[in-house]
Amino acid sequence: INFSYISLILSLSFIFIVGIIDDKKDIKALTKSVIFILIILLSILPNENLIIQNLRFSFLENEIDLNNYSIFFTVLCIFLFVNSFNMFDGVNGQAGIYIAIIFSYLLYKGILNELSLFTLICVIFFIYLNLKNKIFLGDNGSLLISLLISIVIIKSYNENLIKYCEEIFILMMLPGIDMARLFIERISNKKNPLSADGNHFHHILLKRFKLNYVLLVNSFLILIPVIALLAGIKSLIIVISFLLVYFFIIVKLRKA
């Protein structure tokens, strides 16, 4: 019996249970954040290959060693992604398509083929039923899958299957940038950054377009940068292009 595997199973189970309780009783943001951090620590502390020890960038010759900040940085990264994914799950089909793109990418790279293929098959059925309003992720589903994605990505990075940090950033760019924008806007408006509102990217699109068009736009914004990355286009060009398109759409639709 490997304690590292037991800790992973426990952490995934705990975050699933927290999600169920949150769906039913709506846990306070601060309480939920503390619980998330404890669960993340449970998942990474017994597993050295789940702790980010250094940062590798394609445009830097040397790695950046995190040293004593490695655990803090790892917890922060997972915490931010779990929250950004949870916020991204706002309309039917959107989160499912995003999950499918991530695991298709992992499968293409030959990373954890069995897990990636199994998850991809499951999520295809989920997307179909989700678009028919017959099944939903809820907080329990979004928290569980986002923690699993975080664990898989970090493990792949530490095993050098994913070489550079910008590759991860591009995979997680849309939900991450959207969350960062929302946090800045809420703080500037003197609101709780973790409070709910209707200013998400998909909400802005839904005010003008139907769901099918919203899913198409979001899919392209996730998929095209990933394809560009695989095609060998420089990551800086991909990120700048994405930001220009993302903020152009927001400004244009808000003025309309």
Side-chain angles (χ1 to χ4, degrees):
I1 297 174
N2 191 321
F3 182 69
S4 62
Y5 286 111
I6 294 174
S7 71
L8 287 178
I9 292 169
L10 286 175
S11 59
L12 290 167
S13 301
F14 286 153
I15 205 162
F16 180 76
I17 293 167
V18 170
I20 292 174
I21 297 170
D22 191 36
D23 279 329
K24 289 180 175 292
K25 297 187 177 180
D26 195 17
I27 305 171
K28 291 181 179 179
L30 181 59
T31 304
K32 194 160 52 175
S33 296
V34 172
I35 295 171
F36 286 172
I37 291 169
L38 292 174
I39 291 173
I40 292 167
L41 286 170
L42 173 64
S43 66
I44 68 170
L45 287 180
N47 299 275
E48 289 186 4
N49 64 341
L50 295 182
I51 298 174
I52 304 169
Q53 304 286 354
N54 54 67
L55 302 177
R56 300 188 301 271
F57 295 95
S58 61
F59 49 84
L60 293 179
E61 291 185 6
N62 298 320
E63 297 178 349
I64 300 173
D65 290 323
L66 295 172
N67 299 320
N68 295 331
Y69 300 100
S70 58
I71 293 175
F72 170 79
F73 183 79
T74 304
V75 171
L76 178 64
C77 288
I78 297 174
F79 179 80
L80 289 175
F81 178 69
V82 167
N83 278 282
S84 66
F85 184 91
N86 195 32
M87 293 168 69
F88 188 69
D89 180 29
V91 292
N92 287 355
Q94 182 167 270
I97 292 170
Y98 180 56
I99 297 166
I101 291 172
I102 285 183
F103 280 97
S104 295
Y105 180 81
L106 294 175
L107 195 60
Y108 177 83
K109 298 269 290 186
I111 297 171
L112 295 172
N113 287 331
E114 292 83 0
L115 175 65
S116 299
L117 181 60
F118 179 77
T119 307
L120 187 58
I121 293 169
C122 290
V123 83
I124 289 170
F125 283 103
F126 169 78
I127 293 169
Y128 174 77
L129 295 171
N130 185 224
L131 290 173
K132 288 183 171 293
N133 288 316
K134 292 185 177 181
I135 191 171
F136 307 94
L137 272 181
D139 283 344
N140 53 349
S142 67
L143 295 176
L144 173 66
I145 196 68
S146 57
L147 180 59
L148 177 63
I149 289 170
S150 301
I151 289 168
V152 170
I153 293 291
I154 292 173
K155 183 178 186 298
S156 304
Y157 175 78
N158 283 338
E159 292 178 356
N160 218 25
L161 299 173
I162 294 177
K163 290 186 178 181
Y164 301 114
C165 294
E166 61 262 33
E167 189 175 349
I168 300 172
F169 180 79
I170 288 169
L171 278 174
M172 301 179 170
M173 195 157 49
L174 181 55
I177 294 296
D178 200 44
M179 182 185 70
R181 175 186 62 82
L182 286 166
F183 277 18
I184 292 169
E185 287 183 356
R186 289 169 185 172
I187 292 169
S188 63
N189 292 324
K190 298 180 180 179
K191 293 181 180 179
N192 184 344
L194 295 174
S195 62
D197 59 31
N199 291 320
H200 296 243
F201 186 65
H202 54 266
H203 289 144
I204 295 171
L205 289 171
L206 279 171
K207 289 175 182 177
R208 291 288 308 277
F209 306 107
K210 292 182 179 180
L211 177 61
N212 290 343
Y213 183 82
V214 174
L215 294 178
L216 188 64
V217 170
N218 280 321
S219 298
F220 274 113
L221 283 175
I222 297 167
L223 196 55
I224 290 176
V226 172
I227 293 172
L229 183 68
L230 292 173
I233 297 173
K234 290 185 177 180
S235 55
L236 186 60
I237 295 173
I238 297 172
V239 172
I240 292 173
S241 301
F242 171 87
L243 291 174
L244 288 173
V245 173
Y246 172 82
F247 284 108
F248 173 79
I249 293 172
I250 290 175
V251 172
K252 193 73 175 176
L253 292 182
R254 280 182 169 175
K255 284 183 178 180

